Amino acid sequence: MPISAVDSISPAFEHTKQQLFRPFRFGQWTRLALVGLFSGEMSSGGGCNFNYPTHGTTTHRDFTFAAAPNWALLGPLLAIALIALPLLGLLFIYLNSRMRFVLFDSVIAKKCELGRMWRERREPALQYFVWQIVFVLATLAGMAVLIGVPALAALLLGWFTAPKEHLAPLILTGIFVFFAFMFWMVASIVVQVFTKDFVVPQMALENLSAFEGWRRLWRMLGSEKGSYAGYGGMKLILTIGAGIGIGILAFIVIIILLIPFGGLGAITVLAGKAAGLTWNVFTITAAVVAGSIFLMVVFYAIALISVPVIVFFPAYSIYFFAARYPQLARLMYPPPPPIAPAPATTSAPEPAG
């Protein structure tokens, strides 16, 4: 009988304890942290804001920009950014697609063999990569339609030229656009979560496309609307709780890491000022590289403390879905090995007498 969303919590917790603490293996934690960082299965409740200090002086020894932007310097950097950012986005989506299947196999096997698991599931991971690109484009297109069409209609009707005369329709349209936009975002999040929780296992075990996996999942949703709705609500509650806990730990970790990195950065800036350095291609590149290294260290440290969450949530979805998907159930609950028949014993002949 399929278990409920609440009943799936206990086996997921037990699975997490067995995988991470029985026994504790630091190498497994580091590999799972890397997988969780790139697969997106990481819950964090904080944010960082890094600002350069501003100064009023304009001497050449200050690490400040002049009032007028130096387009001869900034132009090439902006061109590189416009080319590099989309490519980096595609690279991250590809890594996310591959690591999603690595994480699935790691939770199933209760161990992370990164090299072997990376080589496996290549074809379904590529299909998932295509699905994610299509999904992102569809989500952005929907947002553009929801905002752009009402804005264009209001512009053509002249509501923006005389807003006081059209205050009521502007307010009503704004309310409608707000709720439609929120509905679209919630629907997009649900589709994304259900894809990685319930479609990815089908793609991994049967080499299906994401679209075929969703066709099957849609039938399951139709037959158990309440169960899947309960799963979504329970996962939201668990995600909020995990986000709060990881957010507190992440804040502590960031403060600890800022002590050595901040001290080293301050020494570097003071040494640069003393040497008469100014902002140029070299110093900007060095600052970007240093900042990127710091952010990677922060992200990896947060991923390391998030490893229990990284394992628990896939295990939670797997135990819930295994009761509804026979192929997954056979992996999670394999039949016991057959018992070999006991060897036949020959009784010694009775002595004649």
Side-chain angles (χ1 to χ4, degrees), residues 32-33 35-37 41-42 103 107 303 306-314:
L32 285 168
V35 173
L37 180 62
E41 196 66 49
M42 197 178 83
L103 181 59
V107 174
S306 302
V307 167
V309 173
I310 291 170
V311 174
F312 169 77
F313 279 105

Side-chain angles (χ1 to χ4, degrees), residues 16 58 95 143 164 179 209 217 245 280:
T16 304
T58 58
L95 292 175
M143 294 167 56
K164 292 183 178 180
F179 282 104
S209 68
L217 179 61
N280 51 48

Side-chain angles (χ1 to χ4, degrees), residues 43-129:
S43 177
S44 175
C48 304
N49 183 21
F50 301 97
N51 294 314
Y52 286 106
T54 56
H55 306 278
T57 179
T58 58
T59 61
H60 291 289
R61 290 179 177 266
D62 271 340
F63 274 55
T64 57
F65 289 110
N70 185 356
W71 292 110
L73 173 63
L74 295 180
L77 294 177
L78 290 176
I80 294 173
L82 290 175
I83 297 173
L85 290 179
L87 294 178
L88 289 175
L90 288 175
L91 176 61
F92 180 80
I93 294 175
Y94 178 75
L95 292 175
N96 175 270
S97 302
R98 295 295 297 271
M99 288 298 188
R100 172 53 54 182
F101 287 88
V102 172
L103 181 59
F104 173 77
D105 288 332
S106 300
V107 174
I108 292 291
K110 294 185 180 179
K111 60 180 179 180
C112 181
E113 298 177 358
L114 189 55
R116 177 181 66 83
M117 293 176 176
W118 172 267
R119 293 188 294 270
E120 298 175 349
R121 319 286 191 195
R122 184 174 302 175
E123 185 175 348
L126 182 59
Q127 296 181 16
Y128 186 52
F129 171 65

Side-chain angles (χ1 to χ4, degrees), residues 346-352:
T346 58
S347 58
E350 297 182 0

Side-chain angles (χ1 to χ4, degrees), residues 324-335:
R324 295 158 175 85
Y325 182 45
Q327 286 84 344
L328 184 57
R330 284 194 288 269
L331 279 180
M332 299 302 297
Y333 310 105

